[in-house]
Amino acid sequence: AAAPTITLTSSPPAPSDEVLAELLFGESSASLSPFQAASLALAVAQLSGVGSDLNPLDKLRNTLGLDQLSVGADQSGAPTLQAGRYIAPGIYIGAAQSTTGPGTSANVEVNLGHGLKLDSSTGTTTTGTSSSVGLSYQLDY
């Protein structure tokens, strides 16, 4: 009990960093944003007992009661602050705000099951408003 060992495995076999990326973000480590990759490194440090309180975004996310709080990038590559929460199993509502000027968006994701996901977003940019609805299929193997 004084020195527990955690081993991440999967079927079919995959590297432990890939398993952790799937566990934490629901996607492969190759498709993580730089900020998600940094969060993954912090998670590994926390699980190993090295860095228990290194991530200030986690503290703020927990304080605000959010499921996601991150810094990302919009379509033009400008940094954005993203926040969101699951309001029910499989239903996510989020928002993003550009940190460099005008640009806000709201998005809703609904997991339809069997790998299907309905994505919708609406927002404003420097050129006007935009809205989109999409259906995606994801196969985890």
Side-chain angles (χ1 to χ4, degrees), residues 30-109:
S31 61
L32 296 178
S33 72
F35 296 104
Q36 287 175 321
S39 295
L40 181 61
L42 284 170
V44 169
Q46 289 173 343
L47 288 174
S48 66
V50 174
S52 58
D53 291 327
L54 294 176
N55 193 344
L57 279 181
D58 276 347
K59 288 183 178 181
L60 183 58
R61 179 182 53 82
N62 290 333
T63 301
L64 296 174
L66 297 171
D67 292 317
Q68 180 203 12
L69 180 63
S70 61
V71 178
D74 63 12
Q75 294 173 347
S76 67
T80 60
L81 180 62
Q82 302 166 344
R85 181 178 178 133
Y86 285 92
I87 60 169
I91 302 174
Y92 174 83
I93 295 180
Q97 172 64 51
S98 174
T99 60
T100 60
T104 58
S105 66
N107 64 313
V108 176
E109 297 175 3

Side-chain angles (χ1 to χ4, degrees), residues 113-119 134-140:
H114 303 291
L116 289 174
K117 186 186 292 185
L118 177 67
D119 299 313
L135 185 64
S136 61
Y137 176 76
Q138 180 177 347
L139 175 65
D140 294 327

Side-chain angles (χ1 to χ4, degrees), residues 114-136:
H114 303 291
L116 289 174
K117 186 186 292 185
L118 177 67
D119 299 313
S120 65
S121 67
T122 186
T124 60
T125 63
T126 56
T127 59
T129 61
S130 66
S131 297
S132 67
V133 175
L135 185 64
S136 61

